[in-house]
Amino acid sequence: MRLSRYFLPVMKESPADAQIISHKLMLRAGLVRQTAAGIYAWLPLGTRVLARIAQIVREEQDKSGAIELIMPTVQSAELWKQSGRYDDYGLEMLRIKDRHDREMLYGPTAEEVITTIFRDAARSYRDLPRTLYNIQWKFRDEVRPRFGVMRGREFLMKDAYSFDLDEAGARHSYNRMFVAYLNTFARMGLRAIPMQADTGPIGGDLSHEFIVLAPTGESEVFYHSNWEKPAALSHVDFDDVAGLQAIVGGYTADYAATDEKRDEAREAEAGDQLRQSRGVEVGHIFYFGTKYSGAMGLKIQGQDGAEIVPHMGSYGIGVSRLMAAIIEASHDEKGIIWPDAVAPYAVGLINMRADDEACAKAADDLYAQLQAAGFDVLYDDRDERGGAKFATMDLIGVPWQIVIGPKGLEKGVVELKRRATGERDELAPADAIAKVRG
């Protein structure tokens, strides 16, 4: 994409009402613009990052065996009355009426909808286990929306829902998602700590929040220092019940809990290895048994002919919130440092002298070569000062920058810069492409 034809309204200064770094940088880098309190338009650059985050989430859900569908944003209040949550949810629910005076709501979550869909389709034990997910916009009418998309009212969420014959099967589905979440966040360059958490209005007796440590996080968290060490997962067989349980057991052996679920005994055991911080919640998983299936009449026929009420769990990832969490974890004084996996463009190509015919031709040729090699390229072909072009590329965080100027052309080289480290090399154009490819 040529920057001269793109829509990228960057800002030199942060708006006064932006309080945390991710909010400041998302506005300055032209990722989002606020249209109402807690509601944001996603501009072209932000849309690209959002799509890349969602795709990683989707791929890891698919690997775990979950099946994608799309559920509506507007839901019938009648479904929530069946589950008993309509009056319990509180003022965060945006309640509306249609032209026929029927009570509706803008969905904050979708347990009722998915339970109804599955209830009307599943007949016997052969239809279980199943885990269904969608990536859809949600709305929660926060009393005080703040911190940009970190605590907005409208947000993009991946929500999955599992259906199993019994508690043992449901806990295996829970473990599948637990491990899928670890893989998801690791692919984005995030160290997300699974912490024992309160179940809140979702309900149930087993829940973990996945927390990315950040000074501006909304949660106060407590954890063993072992969580500060790097860890990586090897290949996972999601059908291996014992193997998956062993992985989850290993990850939960070290203490980690949100403020609501602190355990004084385990904290005493940790001793001087106990750490306290703040964090950003990027995912939340729940096992809640038959809370919704029982209330909404979901029954299937078991192998012996008897009726069974399936056990359920739900699993959320804040897709739009993840963008802010990544920025909080990966930035410097110049701007965003996107991990390669979620960057809007892989390469930023800078022509230092757009008014120079030789530079323009060399940059155009390299732009075509990079595209032919399969790279997403943002080509700054504007007639602007070099300093402004460098500042823009650093601000928006493109992982690789290739700079073409008259002096380099005389030597037959371009300058290749790695945004994350600041490392610079002078290379022949073909060698620069090879290094970007890795």
Side-chain angles (χ1 to χ4, degrees), residues 63-79:
K63 286 178 187 176
S64 76
I67 305 162
E68 187 173 12
L69 76 167
I70 299 176
M71 288 184 283
T73 56
V74 176
Q75 304 175 14
S76 168
E78 183 58 35
L79 299 180

Side-chain angles (χ1 to χ4, degrees), residues 21-252:
I21 193 66
S22 59
H23 190 195
K24 293 175 182 178
L25 288 177
M26 289 182 76
L27 292 170
R28 286 192 56 215
L31 299 172
V32 298
R33 286 294 182 269
Q34 182 171 303
T35 61
I39 300 175
Y40 290 83
W42 293 81
L43 303 185
L45 202 71
T47 298
R48 290 182 69 90
V49 179
L50 200 62
R52 291 188 186 279
I53 292 172
Q55 185 58 28
I56 291 174
V57 171
R58 179 176 287 111
E59 289 170 5
E60 294 303 323
Q61 289 292 290
D62 293 346
K63 286 178 187 176
S64 76
I67 305 162
E68 187 173 12
L69 76 167
I70 299 176
M71 288 184 283
T73 56
V74 176
Q75 304 175 14
S76 168
E78 183 58 35
L79 299 180
W80 285 67
K81 291 177 181 178
Q82 288 178 31
S83 72
R85 282 207 299 173
Y86 187 70
D87 294 323
D88 294 341
Y89 206 86
L91 296 176
E92 285 188 354
M93 180 186 290
L94 181 62
R95 294 166 167 85
I96 54 181
K97 288 187 178 182
D98 67 12
R99 68 172 65 199
H100 301 292
D101 211 32
R102 289 178 293 224
E103 293 180 308
M104 311 291 286
L105 58 99
Y106 194 132
T109 182
E111 280 81 5
E112 285 79 5
V113 173
I114 196 66
T115 304
T116 300
I117 291 170
F118 200 76
R119 179 193 66 196
D120 295 343
R123 294 291 177 264
S124 81
Y125 67 93
R126 296 184 181 89
D127 297 317
L128 278 73
R130 293 290 188 275
T131 299
L132 305 173
Y133 78 96
N134 83 158
I135 298 175
Q136 182 60 286
W137 292 96
K138 304 290 192 296
F139 191 94
R140 293 175 188 167
D141 200 3
E142 295 277 356
V143 63
R144 191 161 67 94
R146 55 201 172 106
F147 301 155
V149 303
M150 192 78 80
R151 200 168 186 83
R153 293 194 294 166
E154 185 181 51
F155 54 95
L156 187 62
M157 186 169 84
K158 186 284 304 181
D159 43 323
Y161 306 89
S162 60
F163 299 86
D164 286 273
L165 289 171
D166 52 27
E167 180 178 345
R171 288 182 179 269
H172 179 55
S173 292
Y174 186 95
N175 289 345
R176 282 175 177 263
M177 281 293 160
F178 188 105
V179 174
Y181 276 35
L182 293 173
N183 287 338
T184 298
F185 302 131
R187 283 184 61 185
M188 299 176 193
L190 292 173
R191 178 72 159 140
I193 303 176
M195 299 194 175
Q196 297 175 35
D198 187 56
T199 58
I202 300 293
D205 61 359
L206 176 61
S207 176
H208 284 87
E209 287 183 11
F210 288 77
I211 301 288
V212 174
L213 300 180
T216 52
E218 77 274 49
S219 302
E220 189 170 16
V221 297
F222 302 83
Y223 61 95
H224 194 283
S225 63
N226 283 347
W227 281 109
E228 296 172 349
K229 301 174 184 177
L233 283 175
S234 56
H235 174 73
V236 177
D237 180 358
F238 283 99
D239 293 322
D240 181 355
V241 176
L244 213 60
Q245 181 59 56
I247 292 172
V248 173
Y251 270 89
T252 54

Side-chain angles (χ1 to χ4, degrees), residues 259-375:
D259 190 40
E260 299 91 343
K261 299 291 285 186
R262 294 181 67 180
D263 185 326
E264 292 183 4
R266 293 199 67 185
E267 290 186 4
E269 288 176 7
D272 62 2
Q273 299 303 305
L274 182 68
R275 301 288 186 265
Q276 179 177 353
S277 181
R278 300 198 70 81
V280 178
E281 178 195 336
V282 291
H284 203 161
I285 59 177
F286 305 83
Y287 161 63
F288 41 68
T290 60
K291 175 178 178 177
Y292 297 94
S293 51
M296 302 189 72
L298 168 55
K299 298 177 182 179
I300 57 102
Q301 188 177 58
Q303 196 165 3
D304 60 359
E307 282 189 337
I308 294 173
V309 178
H311 286 238
M312 293 177 59
S314 70
Y315 318 91
I317 287 180
V319 176
S320 51
R321 171 182 276 236
L322 264 170
M323 190 184 302
I326 291 168
I327 294 171
E328 291 290 334
S330 186
H331 67 272
D332 62 15
E333 70 282 357
K334 295 179 180 179
I336 301 166
I337 303 174
W338 290 119
D340 290 6
V342 300
Y345 291 92
V347 180
L349 177 60
I350 298 174
N351 178 0
M352 291 294 291
R353 289 284 303 277
D355 59 345
D356 182 277
E357 186 175 342
C359 282
K361 184 180 186 309
D364 287 350
D365 289 346
L366 187 53
Y367 179 46
Q369 292 171 39
L370 286 163
Q371 288 184 309
F375 295 110

